[in-house]
Amino acid sequence: MARRSWINPLTVIVLVLMALAIYFFGFPPQQQEQERQQPSVPVRVQVAELSEFRDVIQALGTAQANETVAITAQTQDVVEKIYFESGDFVEQGQLMAELNARKEVARVQQLKFSLGEAQRQLDRLTELRRGNAASQQQLEEQQVAVNGLQAELEVAEATLAEMKIYAPFSGRVGIREVSPGALVAPGDVFTTLDDISPIKVDFSVPERYFASLAVNQEVIARNSAYPGQQFSGRISSIDSRVDPVTRSVRVRAQLPNDGDLLRPGMLLEITLLRSIDETLLLPEKAVMPIQSRQYVFKLTPDGRAQRVEVTIGRRKPGIVEITDGVKPGDQVIVEGLVRLRDGVPVDVQED
């Protein structure tokens, strides 16, 4: 009797099933093996935390003197003396220049003499009238003569006063434009006088910020002549109208000008503080826009990148406000986003 073979169809089926089980459960699929062996992406992370967000308005303004005037002649004559030099600081009421006033002085003296003589005649006629030795008409005519001379004297004294030029307020003079001996006419400029402490600055603010403006509100000014230095001031007035063309409102601020560093005509960069809020801020480079949505990558506890959608709010240069999608304490990837995919392992680099 022939020996029966142990290989039969049932045995073959069992061997095939065992081989498949070993392949699928003993050896992971190639794709899973590749994911497990995928190299980590080097990244840098930042812990999301609440920070101070200063909501500001930026504007440009031109510095102006607190008070400014052009020192001019009021009459035509020769400059006799000048009592200032370019750039001097003068006090209010200080004599700055004097014109040749010999004719005016003589005219005043002449009128004073004539007025004195007329007044004596009036006094004599008044006494005679009491004794009926002079008529009422003579008395009235002499009174008219006295009044006329008095008016002429006042005009002459006013003309004499115009020969001297005084500082209307304290300030710093500009470049001297005339010299002694020069013939000047009404309106000819001797120099300029500026009161630059404090300094004023006018700037325009869009009407959508009108509700945020208030008198005495703090402003910060900067000028390229003083890098890194800022000048603090306050809003002194707000225009009563909004420009219908530019849709902006004119604002004036005053800045203390210790040391006379700021001068009229300077271009100033104005920063107007609207509000200070505590909010969650992230570097703008950490946000990845995809179509109309915004995403960031958070670091998971097992060291992988997790893409999450976020809602952004206000922006500043290099910084963006996150209003939803990230909470304080989350670790957000801020560098190395180019090679990141959802679920990819990462290698956190230290600064």
Side-chain angles (χ1 to χ4, degrees):
M1 183 176 180
R3 186 177 179 180
R4 187 175 182 180
S5 175
W6 61 274
I7 299 176
N8 53 49
L10 181 59
T11 303
V12 172
I13 292 174
V14 172
L15 292 175
V16 170
L17 292 176
M18 291 177 62
L20 291 174
I22 293 174
Y23 176 78
F24 283 105
F25 295 99
F27 302 95
Q30 184 178 3
Q31 182 178 358
Q32 296 180 5
E33 185 68 20
Q34 288 178 351
E35 290 182 358
R36 190 168 62 181
Q37 295 178 358
Q38 183 178 5
S40 300
V41 178
V43 297
R44 294 185 187 277
V45 300
Q46 175 177 317
V47 178
E49 57 186 9
L50 296 178
S51 303
E52 184 181 272
F53 186 91
R54 291 177 171 262
D55 192 1
V56 299
I57 303 171
Q58 301 287 344
L60 293 176
T62 301
Q64 301 180 32
N66 184 45
E67 302 289 350
T68 182
V69 68
I71 304 298
T72 62
Q74 298 182 10
T75 185
Q76 180 172 326
D77 219 310
V78 176
V79 178
E80 186 77 17
K81 294 180 181 179
I82 293 180
Y83 300 99
F84 70 91
E85 292 297 333
S86 301
D88 282 353
F89 184 86
V90 296
E91 296 289 345
Q92 182 179 8
Q94 179 177 329
L95 180 62
M96 300 184 66
E98 190 174 355
L99 304 183
N100 188 335
R102 284 188 289 272
K103 292 186 297 183
E104 286 73 14
V105 171
R107 176 63 174 163
V108 169
Q109 291 176 346
Q110 180 187 14
L111 288 171
K112 285 183 177 179
F113 176 79
S114 298
L115 179 60
E117 181 62 25
Q119 185 64 48
R120 283 191 295 272
Q121 283 289 97
L122 179 62
D123 294 341
R124 187 176 66 86
L125 287 173
T126 301
E127 291 296 328
L128 291 175
R129 177 59 183 159
R130 290 173 183 170
N132 291 323
S135 66
Q136 181 66 29
Q137 182 178 356
Q138 288 177 311
L139 183 63
E140 291 176 354
E141 289 176 351
Q142 188 60 32
Q143 182 65 59
V144 170
V146 170
N147 292 342
L149 288 172
Q150 181 66 46
E152 289 185 33
L153 178 60
E154 291 177 359
V155 172
E157 288 177 339
T159 303
L160 178 61
E162 292 176 354
M163 311 307 286
K164 294 183 179 181
I165 301 174
Y166 298 90
F169 51 82
S170 301
R172 193 169 299 279
V173 299
I175 302 297
R176 180 161 63 89
E177 302 290 351
V178 297
S179 300
L183 177 65
V184 294
D188 287 352
V189 177
F190 282 68
T191 186
T192 57
L193 176 62
D194 294 319
D195 174 15
I196 57 176
S197 183
I199 202 93
K200 294 188 294 191
V201 56
D202 290 355
F203 56 96
S204 296
V205 175
E207 68 172 334
R208 65 178 179 272
Y209 299 130
F210 183 79
S212 302
L213 302 176
V215 174
N216 207 37
Q217 191 172 356
E218 183 181 8
V219 299
I220 303 296
R222 296 178 179 83
N223 180 264
S224 58
Y226 308 103
Q229 188 170 356
Q230 64 183 28
F231 304 88
S232 298
R234 301 274 177 183
I235 291 178
S236 59
S237 58
I238 302 171
D239 201 349
S240 60
R241 298 182 178 181
V242 175
D243 191 318
V245 178
T246 62
R247 300 301 176 188
S248 61
V249 61
R250 184 182 175 194
V251 180
R252 172 169 292 177
Q254 285 191 344
L255 309 172
N257 193 22
D258 299 334
D260 295 346
L261 298 181
L262 299 177
R263 297 299 176 91
M266 279 185 167
L267 179 66
L268 299 178
E269 299 176 5
I270 304 298
T271 301
L272 178 62
L273 183 62
R274 293 182 63 196
S275 63
I276 302 178
D277 303 319
E278 287 289 327
T279 186
L280 198 150
L281 303 178
L282 286 178
E284 197 171 23
K285 60 184 178 180
V287 180
M288 182 175 61
I290 299 178
Q291 295 180 351
S292 60
R293 298 183 177 183
Q294 309 290 332
Y295 296 89
V296 299
F297 282 99
K298 295 197 300 186
L299 181 66
T300 62
D302 60 349
R304 294 180 178 273
Q306 178 187 6
R307 193 180 75 174
V308 296
E309 184 178 356
V310 296
T311 303
I312 64 174
R314 297 165 292 182
R315 292 177 180 265
K316 290 197 299 184
I319 298 176
V320 63
E321 178 187 20
I322 305 297
T323 60
D324 189 33
V326 176
K327 62 181 183 297
D330 289 345
Q331 291 186 304
V332 180
I333 298 174
V334 296
E335 292 185 16
L337 276 69
V338 176
R339 298 171 53 191
L340 284 185
R341 298 293 183 272
D342 194 21
V344 170
V346 297
D347 180 18
V348 178
Q349 304 293 310
E350 299 294 336
D351 291 337

